Amino acid sequence: MPRPDYYEVLGIPRTATQEEIKRAFRQLAREHHPDVNRDPEAAERFKLINEAYQVLGDAERRAQYDRRGANGGAFGPFGGTPFDDIFDMFFGQQRARERDPGPERGSDLRATLKITLEEAARGAEKRMTITREETCPACFGTGAEKGSAPEPCSACQGTGQVRFNRRTAFGQFAQITTCPQCHGAGRLVRRPCRDCRGNGRALVQREITVEVPAGVDDGTRLRLQGEGEAGARGGGRGDLYVDLSILPHPVFTREGRDLHCQIEISMAQAALGAEIDVPTLDGPATLTVPPGAQPGAALVLRGKGMPGMHGGHGDLVVHASVVIPADLTKEQVKLLAQFAKLRGEQIKPARKSLLEKMRAYLV
Ligand SMILES: [Zn+2]
Ligand SMILES: [Zn+2]
C-alpha cells in the first residue's frame, strides 16, 4: 500500500520550516490522541501523524524523504523501527526493546563515466577509479589498535541505547534514545586503530570494472550492487551508481535511437542518382541517392542507428548537401553551358579573362 504524503498528513507546505512542522504536529497530536478523540479512526490517524512527524521532524530524514520522492525510490524504504518507538512512547506501553545497534549498511556512491558513442552502441567493459570507504585492513573494521579489542559500553551495557522516563502532557512514558557515551555502537574502543583513527573504515582508491550494456544513452544510470562504501558492524556494502556521459562524436549526432550525419554530394550525383559510401558505426556502407535528390534531402539507412537496450535498432539519417563546383575547367564550363542551353535556362557564362579582370578590381 503506498504511504500517504507526509506533508499532506501534517497539513503543511513542502517549504515549511522545522519549527512549523513541530507546531503542526503538536496541534494535530492533541486533536487526534485516542484518549481525547473517541472516533475509532483516531488511533490510526494518530499513528500516521506520528509517522509523518518522525520523518519530517528530523531534518536529515526529511531531506532523504524529499529526495526519495524526486527520484522514484532509488534509495530504498526507511526501516520501520523509529515509528514503533514514538508510538510506544505516546501509548505508554513500556515494551522497550533492548535493541542491538545492529549492522549498518554502507552509503551509496555516485560517479560519472565518460564513454564514446561506439562504446554506447556496442557495449564496453570500462575501468574506472573510485575513492570509497572500505573496512580498515589494519583492524579488520573493529577500530581497535592491534593487540586490543573493543569493550562493551558501560553506560548501555552494550545495547547502544538508553532508556529514561519522560513526563509529557499525556503522562509518564519510557523513552529510548541512542546511548550518548558510545553513540549507539554499544562498544567503546580504548586504543583506536592508528590507520583509521578508530572508525573501522578507511578511504581507499579502487579500480573497478563497469560493464556498459549496448544501447545505453547519455544519462543512463547503472547500479553496481555492493560497490559503494563499506557497512559498519557487519552491514552490507552500499551500491555504486554510475551516470553515463556520452562524448560528442565527430561524425554522428544522436536523437533517441536514430543517428544523424551530413554528407556532400555533387550536382551530377544529386541529379542523376548515385551509390555512394557513407560512414556508419560498423564502417562504410553503401547509400543509394535517388535521381533528383534535393539539397538537404534526408536519406535513411534502416537499422544503422543505435541498438535499443531492449532489442531493435534505430536508423541512420544521412543529410545530403549538394556542392556547387567553383573550380570548373574550360571544358566543363562549355558543357555546363550547353546543358543549360538545352534546358532553356538563361545564363551568361563569364569568360575566364573577364573573371580575372573582376578579381583584380575587387582586390
Ligand atoms: Zn583500523
Ligand atoms: Zn553505550
Side-chain angles (χ1 to χ4, degrees), residues 23-311:
R23 261 208 307 278
F25 164 68
R26 281 197 184 137
Q27 175 74 25
L28 286 166
R30 266 199 296 278
E31 281 170 29
H32 293 273
H33 192 274
D35 287 353
V36 184
N37 193 328
R38 297 286 165 197
D39 187 332
E41 269 168 45
E44 246 341 277
R45 178 96 194 127
F46 183 67
K47 193 168 178 177
L48 196 58
I49 290 162
N50 279 319
E51 195 183 291
Y53 182 63
Q54 278 302 296
V55 173
L56 300 186
D58 180 284
E60 203 180 302
R61 242 184 247 153
R62 180 188 180 188
Q64 205 183 347
Y65 175 77
D66 288 349
R67 272 201 305 276
R68 194 170 63 120
N71 69 15
F75 290 88
F78 298 106
T81 38
F83 310 145
D84 296 339
D85 285 351
I86 189 108
F87 201 52
D88 290 351
M89 175 185 133
F90 273 90
F91 284 94
Q93 294 165 352
Q94 307 237 346
R95 57 181 177 98
R97 280 166 300 147
E98 302 293 337
R99 271 196 288 128
D100 189 89
E104 184 190 306
R105 186 178 173 274
S107 306
D108 292 329
L109 289 177
R110 220 170 262 189
T112 302
L113 178 62
K114 289 190 168 122
I115 58 169
T116 64
L117 190 66
E118 284 86 352
E119 287 169 335
R122 289 178 203 133
E125 200 181 277
K126 299 284 285 181
R127 312 280 294 163
M128 69 184 296
T129 303
I130 56 161
T131 304
R132 69 182 176 201
E133 279 202 321
E134 295 196 350
T135 301
C136 171
C139 64
F140 304 104
T142 64
E145 180 62 16
K146 225 178 269 171
S148 75
E151 298 159 24
C153 170
S154 55
C156 61
Q157 277 81 46
T159 64
Q161 292 180 324
V162 287
R163 258 170 77 179
F164 61 91
N165 290 329
R166 203 183 112 139
R167 296 190 65 82
T168 75
F170 309 123
Q172 185 173 304
F173 306 112
Q175 192 176 8
I176 303 169
T177 64
T178 302
C179 172
Q181 186 172 292
C182 64
H183 306 290
R187 57 207 175 97
L188 288 172
V189 173
R190 299 273 172 223
R191 284 171 55 209
C193 164
R194 266 173 295 186
D195 283 31
C196 63
R197 293 200 203 86
N199 83 29
R201 284 175 279 190
L203 274 182
V204 177
Q205 281 210 332
R206 276 274 176 247
E207 200 181 54
I208 56 159
T209 304
V210 182
E211 296 283 348
V212 179
V216 292
D217 207 342
D218 195 51
T220 297
R221 173 172 289 179
L222 304 176
R223 175 169 173 244
L224 277 72
Q225 210 169 350
E227 292 288 1
E229 306 212 287
R233 298 178 292 279
R237 306 186 68 98
D239 297 333
L240 170 64
Y241 290 89
V242 177
D243 292 324
L244 297 177
S245 163
I246 299 179
L247 295 162
H249 194 276
V251 174
F252 302 108
T253 54
R254 178 180 185 171
E255 272 173 39
R257 290 201 300 179
D258 291 340
L259 291 175
H260 293 254
C261 73
Q262 306 277 340
I263 54 151
E264 293 184 339
I265 55 174
S266 74
M267 243 163 42
Q269 284 171 327
L272 304 174
E275 302 232 302
I276 56 169
D277 278 352
V278 291
T280 77
L281 284 178
D282 310 319
T286 304
L287 174 74
T288 305
V289 179
Q294 299 298 310
L299 307 167
V300 177
L301 274 175
R302 297 254 168 252
K304 291 290 183 191
M306 297 292 285
M309 278 186 83
H310 309 289

Side-chain angles (χ1 to χ4, degrees), residues 312-361:
H313 267 83
D315 299 328
L316 172 61
V317 184
V318 181
H319 301 267
S321 58
V322 179
V323 180
I324 311 297
D327 55 352
L328 295 175
T329 63
K330 235 181 206 169
E331 196 187 355
Q332 287 166 346
V333 169
K334 211 166 110 191
L335 283 168
L336 207 52
Q338 210 175 335
F339 167 79
K341 212 170 177 182
L342 279 170
R343 301 266 306 169
E345 292 167 8
Q346 249 189 354
I347 52 145
K348 206 174 187 182
R351 281 188 303 276
K352 196 138 197 180
S353 56
L354 183 60
L355 261 175
E356 236 111 75
K357 266 182 217 161
M358 279 176 73
R359 258 190 216 122
Y361 185 73

